[in-house]
Amino acid sequence: MKKKIILISLVLIFLIPTGVIYARHLLEKPLDPPMKLNVPSDLQADLSADELSSQNAKFCGNSGKMRIIQMGIASPLEEGHEGADAIRLVMVDFDEGQTRILAIPADLWVNTPDDLVEYLGDTAPLNQIYLAAYQNSPGNPDQVLTQKATEILAQTFVDEFEFVPDKYITIKGGAFIDLIDTLGGITITLENAYDGGPLGYFPAGEQTLNGEETLDFVRILLQGSSGPDYFERFERQNMVISSIMNALLDPTNWSNAPELVKEARKMVVTDLSVDQANDLSCMVEEVDGNAEFLAVDSTMVTIDEEGHMLPDMEKFAELFSLLEGE
């Protein structure tokens, strides 16, 4: 099961090579513009030391570590629940043949990037930082704005938690719906019913969801005894990722490969190259179910009087050390 939950984004990227011309420069060229991050000198020194210690290819023709920020973009519903969602930080260690994935609540409140303080105030949740960056970044079309907003959110992780992403994968909500519909929907089995209010009611048992229903299902935020249950939503997101992968691997969908490639490219904004995507595909096979899944839990945050989820920075530092394999 864990192998099938590596990342929906990686699976979608793996489809892309079937839709490109296999010229060397196309294989090596990033599919979208690389990020430009401001990295403190001490962090840059640590990253450079890691790179120097990994000169020879170890697993899948690569070496060293690749750090990826991956997120899905939810369409607007109500204030506070739009922008970036399903945020995952991924550490791929080609030297050790290991993959670690950290789930981060999109509603986590952090210091606002300087350029966005006039729109959001001094602190804001991650999802709103992405949204404000998207709405106030210059440029067009949507692909460009998505890349710029992703870059600003990635910089937030550098500034707040000293995690420096090398690559990004951002999945857009509208194209997500189209992909699910091209697959003919996905099948999930629920032990308990979910009442999502305006997002719909999902009964217990097996059911097939279309694209819009799937997006609504992963956006439901249930109320627990101590407030919104962000952590239960992680489990539903993983359930949907697994179901999508099963659908992609279903031979009955292979005849739709050209359309799937088209929808995947519309859906994914990434600075991975095709070569790098192939290396990551290889790593999925290498870890063979041994990927380590980490998540922020309720002991690592506090909820203030205004309902804001605040990180315990000491516990977050320990969590990020685990992500780095330290």
Side-chain angles (χ1 to χ4, degrees):
M1 175 63 73
K2 284 186 177 181
K3 179 178 178 181
K4 291 184 178 180
I5 305 178
I6 293 297
L7 277 181
I8 179 177
S9 48
L10 298 188
V11 174
L12 296 170
I13 291 300
F14 303 156
L15 294 172
I16 290 173
T18 65
V20 300
I21 302 172
Y22 272 84
R24 187 71 250 164
H25 71 282
L26 286 179
L27 293 174
E28 295 174 347
K29 181 181 178 180
L31 294 168
D32 292 299
M35 294 184 294
K36 298 178 181 179
L37 302 178
N38 296 318
V39 182
S41 56
D42 56 338
L43 280 181
Q44 188 61 59
D46 291 341
L47 296 174
S48 299
D50 284 345
E51 186 175 335
L52 289 173
S53 67
S54 301
Q55 295 295 326
N56 299 317
K58 307 293 177 65
F59 284 87
C60 298
N62 213 323
S63 63
K65 295 177 178 179
M66 181 185 292
R67 299 165 177 86
I68 304 169
I69 181 170
Q70 181 264 331
M71 70 191 79
I73 303 307
S75 25
L77 175 66
E78 58 182 328
E79 185 178 357
H81 296 288
E82 51 191 13
D85 196 5
I87 300 173
R88 301 292 189 272
L89 304 178
V90 185
M91 170 65 72
V92 181
D93 190 331
F94 289 101
D95 292 344
E96 301 296 332
Q98 295 179 346
T99 300
R100 288 178 288 275
I101 302 169
L102 170 59
I104 297 286
D107 300 272
L108 188 72
W109 281 67
V110 296
N111 292 315
T112 304
D114 291 342
D115 292 344
L116 298 178
V117 169
E118 65 176 299
Y119 307 108
L120 298 174
D122 292 334
T123 60
L126 294 171
N127 55 8
Q128 291 296 309
I129 288 174
Y130 176 93
L131 182 64
Y134 181 96
Q135 292 175 335
N136 295 284
S137 291
N140 198 37
D142 174 71
Q143 201 91 346
V144 173
L145 295 175
T146 299
Q147 189 274 336
K148 290 182 177 179
T150 299
E151 181 176 271
I152 289 175
L153 195 64
Q155 183 66 54
T156 301
F157 279 97
V158 176
D159 297 340
E160 289 291 298
F161 305 112
E162 299 187 345
F163 178 83
V164 183
D166 304 303
K167 301 292 176 181
Y168 65 88
I169 304 171
T170 301
I171 303 170
K172 296 184 287 185
F176 174 86
I177 292 174
D178 293 339
L179 179 75
I180 301 298
D181 289 339
T182 301
L183 287 168
I186 62 167
T187 300
I188 61 172
T189 302
L190 302 180
E191 293 185 6
N192 303 300
Y194 289 89
D195 186 353
L199 292 174
Y201 178 83
F202 300 86
E206 184 176 297
Q207 55 207 280
T208 299
L209 307 181
N210 63 28
E212 188 171 351
E213 290 168 338
T214 302
L215 185 60
D216 287 343
F217 178 68
V218 297
R219 291 167 58 201
I220 293 172
L221 187 59
L222 300 176
Q223 291 294 319
S225 58
S226 58
D229 194 344
Y230 302 101
F231 313 105
E232 183 275 339
R233 186 164 61 175
F234 287 158
E235 296 302 318
R236 279 185 287 110
Q237 290 170 348
N238 285 342
M239 178 192 304
V240 166
I241 290 170
S242 180
S243 298
I244 292 174
M245 296 188 68
N246 286 335
L248 287 169
L249 295 172
D250 186 341
T252 61
N253 280 313
W254 294 351
S255 62
N256 291 331
E259 187 65 22
L260 289 173
V261 171
K262 177 182 176 182
E263 296 300 338
R265 191 62 190 104
K266 288 193 301 183
M267 174 177 169
V268 178
V269 181
T270 180
D271 60 347
L272 286 171
S273 68
V274 172
D275 272 350
Q276 289 168 334
N278 285 337
D279 290 343
L280 291 172
S281 178
C282 173
M283 278 297 291
V284 171
E285 296 300 322
E286 288 290 344
V287 299
D288 195 23
N290 293 322
E292 184 176 356
F293 289 83
L294 307 170
V296 175
D297 64 36
S298 58
T299 68
M300 302 175 186
V301 298
T302 57
I303 307 298
D304 68 12
E305 294 180 353
E306 297 179 323
H308 301 162
M309 180 192 294
L310 308 177
D312 181 318
M313 296 305 290
E314 183 175 341
K315 292 182 178 178
F316 266 67
E318 295 173 357
L319 187 60
F320 276 87
S321 292
L322 291 175
L323 179 64
E324 293 282 352
E326 298 173 352

